[in-house]
Amino acid sequence: MENKGKIETGEKIQFRAKRGKWFVVKKMDINENTEDIEIARLLNSIDKTINKKILEFLPFDIKKIEEMADEIYQKKKGRVKEEDIANALSKLKSPSTTRKLNNITELKEGKEILKIILNNIILERLGIKTKLDTKLIDKYIEKSSD
């Protein structure tokens, strides 16, 4: 006899999303043998998935933000110079950049969202990581278990 009213117990993480053709499931059952770093890894993976998709669902032309980023700083091969960092950060905070954001949205909150996206693009291009990489966590787990 099947118990359809069964209540699940135990600790777990479950993330499910379905929107159009996009479908993702990430889950983990947690028990006494589950290490905190494994939980952190899954949560980071969920965060990465969410952050990629957020840009698709925001009502802004992300291509325009990419174009603005190209005007501020284009990634180059080799080491990033301190003057490149200073110049890029100066351009990010300039009134000119704020005016360009006005062409995308006039709402203050919209401009703040776009500034954060633009900041993250530029920082990544400068080699300044703003998010944990799941692969890095995997390497850490692998090397720490040796």
Side-chain angles (χ1 to χ4, degrees):
M1 183 169 150
E2 188 177 20
N3 183 0
K4 291 188 179 191
K6 177 180 158 188
I7 298 174
E8 294 185 36
T9 59
E11 296 179 333
K12 63 181 74 205
I13 297 170
Q14 292 184 343
F15 173 74
R16 296 175 196 259
K18 182 176 183 342
R19 172 79 160 110
K21 293 182 180 182
W22 178 58
F23 180 72
V24 64
V25 174
K26 296 184 183 221
K27 58 185 177 177
M28 169 188 281
D29 289 326
I30 301 169
N31 60 41
E32 65 278 352
N33 297 321
T34 307
E35 294 186 31
D36 287 347
I37 190 77
E38 294 174 66
I39 295 169
R41 186 206 174 280
L42 180 66
L43 292 173
N44 187 69
S45 176
I46 293 168
D47 181 61
K48 187 174 181 180
T49 299
I50 290 169
N51 282 311
K52 279 185 184 177
K53 280 297 176 183
I54 287 172
L55 296 180
E56 291 179 27
F57 292 111
L58 288 173
F60 306 113
D61 186 347
I62 300 302
K63 287 182 183 176
K64 287 184 181 179
I65 296 297
E66 290 282 347
E67 290 169 5
M68 286 179 66
D70 289 343
E71 292 173 15
I72 293 170
Y73 181 80
Q74 291 189 11
K75 189 169 183 167
K76 303 169 188 168
K77 289 189 177 187
R79 183 179 147 100
V80 177
K81 298 175 186 167
E82 286 183 29
E83 71 182 48
D84 289 337
I85 295 171
N87 287 336
L89 294 179
S90 176
K91 288 178 184 178
L92 271 175
K93 298 301 265 178
S94 74
S96 170
T97 298
T98 303
R99 280 192 299 277
K100 289 176 184 173
L101 292 174
N102 284 332
N103 294 332
I104 301 172
T105 181
E106 292 180 10
L107 293 175
K108 176 184 169 191
E109 295 80 5
K111 283 184 268 199
E112 285 301 312
I113 292 167
L114 294 174
K115 280 182 186 179
I116 292 167
I117 294 168
L118 184 58
N119 289 343
N120 285 332
I121 291 168
I122 295 301
L123 291 174
E124 287 288 327
R125 289 181 180 185
L126 292 169
I128 300 169
K129 301 288 183 188
T130 59
K131 297 282 183 188
L132 287 173
D133 184 354
T134 305
K135 290 178 185 177
L136 185 60
I137 295 174
D138 289 341
K139 286 180 185 178
Y140 176 82
I141 291 171
E142 180 183 309
K143 290 186 178 186
S144 67
S145 64
D146 289 342

